[in-house]
Amino acid sequence: ERFIEIMALLPEVVQHAFILSKLDGLTYAEVAYALGISSKSAQRYVFKAWQHLIQHLDKDFLDDNLT
């Protein structure tokens, strides 16, 4: 629930890039193709989402749910 609230604060394309990469297991190239963006943009968006999550979620949540 908290994860969803925090992700909702990000732009939609950043949310999608993160979900496709980290939850669905797509490569940056595959994320880029799916979203119609460059591979470099996909990488930046995933990194941006990680930074946002780390700032807003505690370490225990991240360890238990995203590793």
Side-chain angles (χ1 to χ4, degrees), residues 16-32:
H16 288 299
F18 182 83
I19 290 166
L20 291 171
S21 175
K22 299 304 175 190
L23 302 181
D24 293 341
L26 273 59
T27 66
Y28 293 129
E30 292 168 330
V31 171

Side-chain angles (χ1 to χ4, degrees), residues 7 10 14 18 45-54:
M7 285 295 287
L10 291 167
V14 175
F18 182 83
Y45 292 159
V46 171
F47 182 73
K48 180 178 179 176
W50 267 127
Q51 287 181 311
H52 182 76
L53 288 168
I54 289 167

